[in-house]
Amino acid sequence: YGDMIALSYQLLKNQKIVGATLRQRFRYILVDEFQDTNYAQVEILHLLAGDKCGITVVGDDDQAIYRFRGASFASFRLFQKLFPGMIIFKLEENYRSAGTIVRAAQSLIESDPAARFDSSKKMIAASQSGEKVIIRKCPDYFSEAESAADEIQRLLLRDEYRKPSSIAVLVRARYH
């Protein structure tokens, strides 16, 4: 995968006729999930788009989770530098999650403003309802696993969660 990106960049950068041919071919470019792009991919986008191509990127800097591949909110900053005059439309209303989850997520996101492209962006829940969100800070992975196991055990004692299949555990390590 890395070679596809690196070799594409080298081709477009070093073989000017290839870039020119592609720029004539494309009038518009749309990039979805832009937060998953890395520096080289944004440079490729710039080489493909040139100055005359209509370009739209859609992404959420707070969802940049592919850091192990070089993706980060910095792609938004690079895009802003390479494409001056861009217009930003903020989509801040969340229709998918309960209000309690959105408010908890917003609180966590706000705790690290330096890790964001746009620290003024706010998530707003369309629904204000939802079960209470519990946030536990654990000193290490073992206590985190133990805390999760204890919570599952507690839930299994409640009528609505009697079946283990009614419980899901989602895990995301921050260092990724």
Side-chain angles (χ1 to χ4, degrees):
Y1 181 73
D3 280 352
M4 285 176 29
I5 294 169
L7 294 173
S8 295
Y9 174 76
Q10 288 175 0
L11 177 69
L12 290 167
K13 184 81 173 163
N14 299 329
Q15 301 297 320
K16 305 292 184 196
I17 191 75
V18 174
T21 302
L22 291 172
R23 280 191 296 280
Q24 284 180 339
R25 184 174 175 195
F26 301 126
R27 288 183 44 202
Y28 303 99
I29 296 176
L30 167 67
V31 180
D32 194 13
E33 301 294 342
F34 186 75
Q35 73 274 2
D36 297 337
T37 60
N38 61 34
Y39 184 88
Q41 291 169 316
V42 179
E43 288 287 348
I44 289 170
L45 184 58
H46 185 243
L47 290 169
L48 283 174
D51 296 331
K52 296 187 174 132
C53 184
I55 184 162
T56 300
V57 299
V58 179
D60 183 353
D61 56 310
D62 293 323
Q63 294 185 36
I65 61 172
Y66 290 103
R67 286 197 173 99
F68 64 95
R69 279 200 256 162
S72 77
F73 69 92
S75 293
F76 290 88
R77 289 208 175 115
L78 179 60
F79 184 86
Q80 192 173 37
K81 177 183 168 190
L82 295 174
F83 298 93
M86 71 177 198
I87 300 169
I88 298 175
F89 296 95
K90 296 180 190 179
L91 303 177
E92 298 173 301
E93 191 163 4
N94 182 308
Y95 295 93
R96 292 183 181 174
S97 302
T100 52
I101 292 172
V102 172
R103 287 188 297 278
Q106 180 68 35
S107 173
L108 289 171
I109 289 168
E110 286 175 348
S111 71
D112 191 7
R116 303 178 76 198
F117 170 68
D118 181 358
S119 60
S120 70
K121 187 175 67 180
K122 303 278 185 221
M123 288 191 301
I124 302 160
S127 162
Q128 295 304 314
S129 64
E131 289 191 36
K132 182 180 176 185
V133 174
I134 300 167
I135 299 173
R136 292 194 179 111
K137 193 171 185 176
C138 301
D140 55 49
Y141 296 119
F142 298 109
S143 26
E144 182 179 18
E146 187 174 45
S147 175
D150 289 346
E151 181 64 18
I152 291 168
Q153 196 168 33
R154 187 187 70 73
L155 287 172
L156 288 172
L157 297 175
R158 291 174 52 186
D159 285 338
E160 65 266 33
Y161 298 106
R162 289 248 181 232
K163 293 182 181 177
S165 62
S166 66
I167 298 172
V169 178
L170 304 176
V171 178
R172 175 177 158 202
R174 180 168 170 80
Y175 64 87
H176 284 187

